Amino acid sequence: MRDPYEVLGVSKTASEAEIKSAFRKLAKKHHPDQNAKDPKAKERFSEINGAYEIVGDKEKRQKFDRGEIGADGKPRFQGFEGFEGFAQRGARPGGSTRFRWSTSGGSDAFSAEDIIGDIFGNFSGFGRGGTAPGGAGAGAGARRTQTPRGEHVTATAAVTLEQLARGEKARVDLPTGRTVEVAIPPGTRPGKIIRLKGQGRANPLGGEPGDALVTVEFVSHPRFRVDGDTIRGDLDVGLDQAVLGGKVRVDTLEGPVTMNIPTHSSGGRTLRLKGKGLPKVAGGRGDLLLTLRIVLPENADPELDALMRKWREEGRYSTRESEEDA
């Protein structure tokens, strides 16, 4: 497997935040759901996820940097000095040759039978209570090994802004055929990946199942736009409401509320409804910002036309020079 730092495109001195940011960008770019026509997308996504499992975990990253584990997360052999030295360095009274390897910073001695059991344990049961060569079982010192986990799976959670505002869970259909409900943490942004432990594919060899990696995507809203924790939208008002002000009913993610329009409000003015946005990581809610759009009557109004004509003739009010006056 490739060096996890190389896979994520970061240096070995990168901060946790830099590593996390790089992972999110790559995971979103190479997500299989976003690259349905690319047969290698799943393989690249799996490699990216595997790299982040190493350097995105503080303890594993330290072990990898010290050379205790490899890019696949498995312990590396240490102090293994070559076959030519076994006859002299590994011989014990009675003729049993023993090797030494180091795991997790320490060292322990294992016979050749033990190592063979480690290599073939996942297939023949060595090291898991099975019979080792020569009839030696678990009681004879066969070393236990961890069976590889099952395959990770990917899925997408399509979440509405209303669900986020109400703190509702999202229903997700997994490739395994199972449907689960996923809690969406406050402060979630599109592209965030939520890991569901043990919800991936089972290992036919009996190990733990893999995980489900669920990418959160926001469903496009007909009225509102997302800006961090803030929600933005437009509010149509009549000319009389813009000039005279008054109370109007406006839609929010949790239903309609009454809002006050100040007098003499120009189009483009933005009004704020506090606490009507999306949930924040640290608690509380963002705001809803509504930009006023002045809407004139669909049908011509003679009285309004006459008033505006009088204003033009008197030069009472104009935002720009008219073509007739130019």
Side-chain angles (χ1 to χ4, degrees):
M1 295 182 64
R2 287 200 296 158
D3 185 297
Y5 291 107
E6 179 183 344
V7 173
L8 297 178
V10 298
S11 67
K12 291 187 177 182
T13 58
S15 65
E16 293 182 12
E18 290 172 332
I19 290 174
K20 187 174 183 180
S21 176
F23 168 68
R24 285 184 172 178
K25 290 179 181 178
L26 289 172
K28 184 175 182 179
K29 178 180 179 181
H30 297 289
H31 194 291
D33 290 349
Q34 305 295 327
N35 301 273
K37 297 182 180 180
D38 185 353
K40 295 185 177 181
K42 184 176 181 180
E43 180 180 341
R44 283 197 295 268
F45 185 79
S46 179
E47 182 182 39
I48 293 167
N49 180 68
Y52 186 67
E53 285 189 352
I54 299 298
V55 297
D57 182 287
K58 185 175 182 181
E59 183 178 350
K60 289 183 180 179
R61 182 183 183 184
Q62 292 175 348
K63 289 183 178 180
F64 176 79
D65 291 343
R66 292 195 298 264
E68 295 176 9
I69 61 175
D72 57 359
K74 297 180 180 180
R76 284 176 172 169
F77 287 97
Q78 297 182 3
F80 200 66
E81 303 192 18
F83 288 95
E84 70 279 0
F86 290 166
Q88 297 179 3
R89 301 177 61 86
R92 295 187 302 160
S96 176
T97 302
R98 300 184 70 85
F99 310 147
R100 300 187 69 87
W101 85 24
S102 172
T103 59
S104 303
S107 63
D108 194 6
F110 296 95
S111 66
E113 291 84 356
D114 293 331
I115 295 180
I116 292 174
D118 272 331
I119 296 174
F120 295 100
N122 292 337
F123 304 97
S124 303
F126 298 156
R128 301 179 64 230
T131 301
R143 186 171 183 267
R144 292 183 179 275
T145 59
Q146 182 178 359
T147 303
R149 298 183 64 190
E151 180 185 359
H152 294 333
V153 299
T154 61
T156 300
V159 185
T160 66
L161 300 187
E162 285 81 1
Q163 285 178 300
L164 293 170
R166 294 192 290 260
E168 296 179 353
K169 294 182 178 180
R171 291 177 62 85
V172 178
D173 295 326
L174 301 178
T176 58
R178 182 181 304 172
T179 299
V180 297
E181 291 192 342
V182 180
I184 309 300
T188 292
R189 299 288 181 268
K192 177 181 175 62
I193 296 178
I194 299 176
R195 179 184 296 272
L196 303 180
K197 292 287 187 180
Q199 295 293 337
R201 299 193 187 280
N203 187 339
L205 299 178
E208 295 181 10
D211 300 335
L213 306 177
V214 179
T215 301
V216 178
E217 297 295 345
F218 290 179
V219 176
S220 179
H221 199 281
R223 294 182 59 85
F224 302 125
R225 304 177 297 278
V226 178
D227 182 9
D229 300 318
T230 299
I231 298 296
R232 295 180 178 273
D234 298 320
L235 178 61
D236 293 343
V237 296
L239 182 60
D240 61 318
Q241 293 170 319
V243 174
L244 304 177
K247 295 184 180 296
V248 296
R249 285 172 62 84
V250 299
D251 292 327
T252 72
L253 295 177
E254 298 165 296
V257 299
T258 300
M259 183 178 192
N260 184 60
I261 306 296
T263 59
H264 296 94
S265 292
S266 299
R269 180 175 183 174
T270 299
L271 304 180
R272 182 186 304 270
L273 283 174
K274 291 186 176 181
K276 295 298 182 180
L278 297 179
K280 297 180 178 181
V281 175
R285 296 269 299 275
D287 299 332
L288 171 58
L289 301 182
L290 296 174
T291 300
L292 299 183
R293 297 194 311 182
I294 298 177
V295 180
L296 297 179
E298 293 184 4
N299 300 320
D301 186 327
E303 292 184 6
L304 178 61
D305 292 347
L307 177 61
M308 293 299 100
R309 191 174 294 108
K310 179 179 180 182
W311 278 25
R312 175 178 292 180
E313 293 171 353
E314 297 178 355
R316 184 176 302 185
Y317 171 79
S318 179
T319 58
R320 63 181 65 224
E321 187 176 14
S322 67
E323 188 175 332
E324 295 178 2
D325 298 333

mmCIF file of all heavy atoms in Angstrom, residues 261-294:
data_model
loop_
_atom_site.group_PDB
_atom_site.id
_atom_site.type_symbol
_atom_site.label_atom_id
_atom_site.label_comp_id
_atom_site.label_asym_id
_atom_site.label_seq_id
_atom_site.Cartn_x
_atom_site.Cartn_y
_atom_site.Cartn_z
ATOM 1 N N ILE A 261 -41.757 44.889 8.898
ATOM 2 C CA ILE A 261 -41.037 45.587 7.836
ATOM 3 C C ILE A 261 -40.945 47.058 8.220
ATOM 4 O O ILE A 261 -41.977 47.728 8.377
ATOM 5 C CB ILE A 261 -41.763 45.456 6.479
ATOM 6 C CG1 ILE A 261 -42.025 43.985 6.147
ATOM 7 C CG2 ILE A 261 -40.953 46.136 5.382
ATOM 8 C CD1 ILE A 261 -40.779 43.176 5.957
ATOM 9 N N PRO A 262 -39.731 47.591 8.393
ATOM 10 C CA PRO A 262 -39.601 49.011 8.749
ATOM 11 C C PRO A 262 -40.121 49.909 7.628
ATOM 12 O O PRO A 262 -40.143 49.524 6.454
ATOM 13 C CB PRO A 262 -38.088 49.193 8.927
ATOM 14 C CG PRO A 262 -37.547 47.811 9.167
ATOM 15 C CD PRO A 262 -38.436 46.908 8.353
ATOM 16 N N THR A 263 -40.552 51.117 7.968
ATOM 17 C CA THR A 263 -41.015 52.069 6.952
ATOM 18 C C THR A 263 -39.861 52.475 6.040
ATOM 19 O O THR A 263 -38.687 52.455 6.440
ATOM 20 C CB THR A 263 -41.595 53.330 7.623
ATOM 21 O OG1 THR A 263 -40.588 53.927 8.441
ATOM 22 C CG2 THR A 263 -42.795 52.981 8.488
ATOM 23 N N HIS A 264 -40.217 52.828 4.829
ATOM 24 C CA HIS A 264 -39.245 53.275 3.827
ATOM 25 C C HIS A 264 -38.098 52.273 3.660
ATOM 26 O O HIS A 264 -36.924 52.617 3.737
ATOM 27 C CB HIS A 264 -38.692 54.663 4.169
ATOM 28 C CG HIS A 264 -39.727 55.725 4.150
ATOM 29 N ND1 HIS A 264 -40.416 56.121 5.300
ATOM 30 C CD2 HIS A 264 -40.245 56.479 3.135
ATOM 31 C CE1 HIS A 264 -41.281 57.065 4.989
ATOM 32 N NE2 HIS A 264 -41.216 57.297 3.682
ATOM 33 N N SER A 265 -38.458 51.012 3.456
ATOM 34 C CA SER A 265 -37.456 49.967 3.231
ATOM 35 C C SER A 265 -37.220 49.800 1.739
ATOM 36 O O SER A 265 -38.143 49.492 0.979
ATOM 37 C CB SER A 265 -37.928 48.636 3.825
ATOM 38 O OG SER A 265 -37.971 48.694 5.233
ATOM 39 N N SER A 266 -36.009 50.020 1.305
ATOM 40 C CA SER A 266 -35.679 49.886 -0.113
ATOM 41 C C SER A 266 -35.491 48.423 -0.492
ATOM 42 O O SER A 266 -35.171 47.574 0.352
ATOM 43 C CB SER A 266 -34.390 50.656 -0.434
ATOM 44 O OG SER A 266 -34.530 52.032 -0.176
ATOM 45 N N GLY A 267 -35.689 48.135 -1.770
ATOM 46 C CA GLY A 267 -35.407 46.795 -2.249
ATOM 47 C C GLY A 267 -33.925 46.485 -2.082
ATOM 48 O O GLY A 267 -33.064 47.347 -2.304
ATOM 49 N N GLY A 268 -33.611 45.256 -1.688
ATOM 50 C CA GLY A 268 -32.223 44.881 -1.427
ATOM 51 C C GLY A 268 -31.843 44.961 0.038
ATOM 52 O O GLY A 268 -30.792 44.454 0.435
ATOM 53 N N ARG A 269 -32.706 45.603 0.838
ATOM 54 C CA ARG A 269 -32.420 45.661 2.271
ATOM 55 C C ARG A 269 -32.568 44.267 2.874
ATOM 56 O O ARG A 269 -33.469 43.512 2.524
ATOM 57 C CB ARG A 269 -33.385 46.626 2.954
ATOM 58 C CG ARG A 269 -33.160 46.760 4.457
ATOM 59 C CD ARG A 269 -34.063 47.821 5.055
ATOM 60 N NE ARG A 269 -33.806 48.000 6.478
ATOM 61 C CZ ARG A 269 -34.376 48.942 7.236
ATOM 62 N NH1 ARG A 269 -35.246 49.793 6.681
ATOM 63 N NH2 ARG A 269 -34.083 49.044 8.513
ATOM 64 N N THR A 270 -31.662 43.922 3.798
ATOM 65 C CA THR A 270 -31.680 42.593 4.411
ATOM 66 C C THR A 270 -32.153 42.688 5.856
ATOM 67 O O THR A 270 -31.617 43.484 6.638
ATOM 68 C CB THR A 270 -30.285 41.944 4.370
ATOM 69 O OG1 THR A 270 -29.880 41.795 3.006
ATOM 70 C CG2 THR A 270 -30.301 40.572 5.025
ATOM 71 N N LEU A 271 -33.144 41.858 6.183
ATOM 72 C CA LEU A 271 -33.686 41.804 7.537
ATOM 73 C C LEU A 271 -33.299 40.473 8.170
ATOM 74 O O LEU A 271 -33.187 39.453 7.492
ATOM 75 C CB LEU A 271 -35.202 41.965 7.508
ATOM 76 C CG LEU A 271 -35.731 43.237 6.811
ATOM 77 C CD1 LEU A 271 -37.252 43.259 6.848
ATOM 78 C CD2 LEU A 271 -35.154 44.499 7.465
ATOM 79 N N ARG A 272 -33.124 40.496 9.482
ATOM 80 C CA ARG A 272 -32.623 39.328 10.200
ATOM 81 C C ARG A 272 -33.657 38.746 11.161
ATOM 82 O O ARG A 272 -34.291 39.486 11.930
ATOM 83 C CB ARG A 272 -31.371 39.709 10.982
ATOM 84 C CG ARG A 272 -30.716 38.555 11.743
ATOM 85 C CD ARG A 272 -29.567 39.084 12.607
ATOM 86 N NE ARG A 272 -28.602 39.816 11.823
ATOM 87 C CZ ARG A 272 -27.542 39.254 11.237
ATOM 88 N NH1 ARG A 272 -27.323 37.947 11.383
ATOM 89 N NH2 ARG A 272 -26.694 39.991 10.546
ATOM 90 N N LEU A 273 -33.810 37.421 11.106
ATOM 91 C CA LEU A 273 -34.590 36.703 12.111
ATOM 92 C C LEU A 273 -33.610 35.841 12.896
ATOM 93 O O LEU A 273 -33.087 34.841 12.402
ATOM 94 C CB LEU A 273 -35.650 35.813 11.438
ATOM 95 C CG LEU A 273 -36.888 36.519 10.912
ATOM 96 C CD1 LEU A 273 -37.766 35.532 10.147
ATOM 97 C CD2 LEU A 273 -37.682 37.155 12.049
ATOM 98 N N LYS A 274 -33.338 36.242 14.123
ATOM 99 C CA LYS A 274 -32.324 35.557 14.926
ATOM 100 C C LYS A 274 -32.783 34.144 15.324
ATOM 101 O O LYS A 274 -33.949 33.917 15.642
ATOM 102 C CB LYS A 274 -32.011 36.362 16.186
ATOM 103 C CG LYS A 274 -31.274 37.669 15.896
ATOM 104 C CD LYS A 274 -30.854 38.363 17.190
ATOM 105 C CE LYS A 274 -30.038 39.618 16.886
ATOM 106 N NZ LYS A 274 -29.607 40.296 18.144
ATOM 107 N N GLY A 275 -31.818 33.221 15.287
ATOM 108 C CA GLY A 275 -32.089 31.862 15.752
ATOM 109 C C GLY A 275 -32.954 31.030 14.831
ATOM 110 O O GLY A 275 -33.440 29.969 15.224
ATOM 111 N N LYS A 276 -33.127 31.459 13.586
ATOM 112 C CA LYS A 276 -33.962 30.707 12.635
ATOM 113 C C LYS A 276 -33.121 30.030 11.541
ATOM 114 O O LYS A 276 -33.660 29.584 10.538
ATOM 115 C CB LYS A 276 -34.999 31.624 12.000
ATOM 116 C CG LYS A 276 -36.029 32.172 12.982
ATOM 117 C CD LYS A 276 -36.844 31.044 13.607
ATOM 118 C CE LYS A 276 -37.907 31.579 14.552
ATOM 119 N NZ LYS A 276 -38.694 30.468 15.171
ATOM 120 N N GLY A 277 -31.812 29.952 11.793
ATOM 121 C CA GLY A 277 -30.934 29.293 10.830
ATOM 122 C C GLY A 277 -30.687 27.841 11.210
ATOM 123 O O GLY A 277 -31.557 27.173 11.767
ATOM 124 N N LEU A 278 -29.473 27.341 10.946
ATOM 125 C CA LEU A 278 -29.130 25.948 11.210
ATOM 126 C C LEU A 278 -28.424 25.799 12.556
ATOM 127 O O LEU A 278 -27.804 26.746 13.054
ATOM 128 C CB LEU A 278 -28.230 25.414 10.089
ATOM 129 C CG LEU A 278 -28.847 25.369 8.695
ATOM 130 C CD1 LEU A 278 -27.829 24.844 7.698
ATOM 131 C CD2 LEU A 278 -30.109 24.520 8.677
ATOM 132 N N PRO A 279 -28.494 24.608 13.161
ATOM 133 C CA PRO A 279 -27.827 24.374 14.450
ATOM 134 C C PRO A 279 -26.316 24.562 14.345
ATOM 135 O O PRO A 279 -25.699 24.206 13.343
ATOM 136 C CB PRO A 279 -28.186 22.913 14.763
ATOM 137 C CG PRO A 279 -29.426 22.643 13.987
ATOM 138 C CD PRO A 279 -29.292 23.439 12.718
ATOM 139 N N LYS A 280 -25.726 25.124 15.400
ATOM 140 C CA LYS A 280 -24.280 25.351 15.449
ATOM 141 C C LYS A 280 -23.596 24.225 16.225
ATOM 142 O O LYS A 280 -24.209 23.566 17.054
ATOM 143 C CB LYS A 280 -23.974 26.685 16.130
ATOM 144 C CG LYS A 280 -24.517 27.904 15.409
ATOM 145 C CD LYS A 280 -24.149 29.169 16.163
ATOM 146 C CE LYS A 280 -24.632 30.419 15.453
ATOM 147 N NZ LYS A 280 -24.246 31.655 16.182
ATOM 148 N N VAL A 281 -22.312 24.047 15.969
ATOM 149 C CA VAL A 281 -21.534 23.025 16.672
ATOM 150 C C VAL A 281 -21.537 23.279 18.173
ATOM 151 O O VAL A 281 -21.703 22.358 18.977
ATOM 152 C CB VAL A 281 -20.082 22.998 16.149
ATOM 153 C CG1 VAL A 281 -19.236 22.019 16.954
ATOM 154 C CG2 VAL A 281 -20.059 22.636 14.678
ATOM 155 N N ALA A 282 -21.341 24.532 18.559
ATOM 156 C CA ALA A 282 -21.242 24.871 19.979
ATOM 157 C C ALA A 282 -22.595 25.098 20.636
ATOM 158 O O ALA A 282 -22.668 25.516 21.788
ATOM 159 C CB ALA A 282 -20.372 26.122 20.146
ATOM 160 N N GLY A 283 -23.669 24.832 19.913
ATOM 161 C CA GLY A 283 -25.004 25.037 20.473
ATOM 162 C C GLY A 283 -25.649 26.285 19.902
ATOM 163 O O GLY A 283 -24.983 27.187 19.384
ATOM 164 N N GLY A 284 -26.957 26.347 20.004
ATOM 165 C CA GLY A 284 -27.677 27.490 19.468
ATOM 166 C C GLY A 284 -27.914 27.333 17.977
ATOM 167 O O GLY A 284 -27.614 26.301 17.371
ATOM 168 N N ARG A 285 -28.447 28.377 17.385
ATOM 169 C CA ARG A 285 -28.807 28.354 15.967
ATOM 170 C C ARG A 285 -28.266 29.593 15.264
ATOM 171 O O ARG A 285 -28.065 30.649 15.876
ATOM 172 C CB ARG A 285 -30.333 28.329 15.817
ATOM 173 C CG ARG A 285 -31.005 27.085 16.371
ATOM 174 C CD ARG A 285 -31.142 26.021 15.322
ATOM 175 N NE ARG A 285 -31.969 26.473 14.204
ATOM 176 C CZ ARG A 285 -33.300 26.408 14.185
ATOM 177 N NH1 ARG A 285 -33.964 25.925 15.230
ATOM 178 N NH2 ARG A 285 -33.975 26.817 13.122
ATOM 179 N N GLY A 286 -28.022 29.449 13.980
ATOM 180 C CA GLY A 286 -27.682 30.606 13.174
ATOM 181 C C GLY A 286 -28.925 31.434 12.898
ATOM 182 O O GLY A 286 -29.994 31.185 13.465
ATOM 183 N N ASP A 287 -28.812 32.422 12.014
ATOM 184 C CA ASP A 287 -29.917 33.341 11.739
ATOM 185 C C ASP A 287 -30.478 33.109 10.336
ATOM 186 O O ASP A 287 -29.848 32.474 9.484
ATOM 187 C CB ASP A 287 -29.445 34.791 11.857
ATOM 188 C CG ASP A 287 -28.927 35.114 13.256
ATOM 189 O OD1 ASP A 287 -29.395 34.472 14.220
ATOM 190 O OD2 ASP A 287 -28.051 35.994 13.369
ATOM 191 N N LEU A 288 -31.655 33.646 10.129
ATOM 192 C CA LEU A 288 -32.284 33.659 8.803
ATOM 193 C C LEU A 288 -32.229 35.094 8.294
ATOM 194 O O LEU A 288 -32.739 36.007 8.937
ATOM 195 C CB LEU A 288 -33.739 33.181 8.896
ATOM 196 C CG LEU A 288 -34.600 33.340 7.645
ATOM 197 C CD1 LEU A 288 -33.997 32.597 6.456
ATOM 198 C CD2 LEU A 288 -36.026 32.868 7.909
ATOM 199 N N LEU A 289 -31.588 35.299 7.152
ATOM 200 C CA LEU A 289 -31.465 36.622 6.554
ATOM 201 C C LEU A 289 -32.343 36.687 5.310
ATOM 202 O O LEU A 289 -32.197 35.862 4.396
ATOM 203 C CB LEU A 289 -30.004 36.912 6.183
ATOM 204 C CG LEU A 289 -28.993 36.865 7.329
ATOM 205 C CD1 LEU A 289 -27.602 37.218 6.813
ATOM 206 C CD2 LEU A 289 -29.390 37.803 8.460
ATOM 207 N N LEU A 290 -33.243 37.677 5.289
ATOM 208 C CA LEU A 290 -34.176 37.827 4.180
ATOM 209 C C LEU A 290 -33.933 39.160 3.480
ATOM 210 O O LEU A 290 -33.934 40.216 4.116
ATOM 211 C CB LEU A 290 -35.617 37.760 4.687
ATOM 212 C CG LEU A 290 -36.042 36.417 5.308
ATOM 213 C CD1 LEU A 290 -37.433 36.535 5.906
ATOM 214 C CD2 LEU A 290 -35.997 35.316 4.253
ATOM 215 N N THR A 291 -33.724 39.104 2.177
ATOM 216 C CA THR A 291 -33.489 40.301 1.372
ATOM 217 C C THR A 291 -34.793 40.723 0.703
ATOM 218 O O THR A 291 -35.444 39.912 0.021
ATOM 219 C CB THR A 291 -32.417 40.027 0.300
ATOM 220 O OG1 THR A 291 -31.198 39.638 0.947
ATOM 221 C CG2 THR A 291 -32.159 41.264 -0.532
ATOM 222 N N LEU A 292 -35.170 41.987 0.895
ATOM 223 C CA LEU A 292 -36.442 42.490 0.373
ATOM 224 C C LEU A 292 -36.400 42.668 -1.148
ATOM 225 O O LEU A 292 -35.415 43.159 -1.707
ATOM 226 C CB LEU A 292 -36.788 43.827 1.021
ATOM 227 C CG LEU A 292 -36.972 43.821 2.551
ATOM 228 C CD1 LEU A 292 -37.377 45.208 3.032
ATOM 229 C CD2 LEU A 292 -38.007 42.788 2.966
ATOM 230 N N ARG A 293 -37.477 42.235 -1.790
ATOM 231 C CA ARG A 293 -37.684 42.476 -3.218
ATOM 232 C C ARG A 293 -39.042 43.154 -3.387
ATOM 233 O O ARG A 293 -40.071 42.580 -3.023
ATOM 234 C CB ARG A 293 -37.656 41.164 -4.004
ATOM 235 C CG ARG A 293 -36.338 40.438 -3.947
ATOM 236 C CD ARG A 293 -36.256 39.342 -5.004
ATOM 237 N NE ARG A 293 -37.443 38.469 -5.004
ATOM 238 C CZ ARG A 293 -37.567 37.428 -5.820
ATOM 239 N NH1 ARG A 293 -36.608 37.143 -6.690
ATOM 240 N NH2 ARG A 293 -38.643 36.666 -5.762
ATOM 241 N N ILE A 294 -39.013 44.363 -3.904
ATOM 242 C CA ILE A 294 -40.259 45.106 -4.074
ATOM 243 C C ILE A 294 -40.958 44.629 -5.346
ATOM 244 O O ILE A 294 -40.378 44.639 -6.434
ATOM 245 C CB ILE A 294 -39.988 46.614 -4.146
ATOM 246 C CG1 ILE A 294 -39.357 47.084 -2.828
ATOM 247 C CG2 ILE A 294 -41.282 47.383 -4.429
ATOM 248 C CD1 ILE A 294 -38.973 48.558 -2.829
#
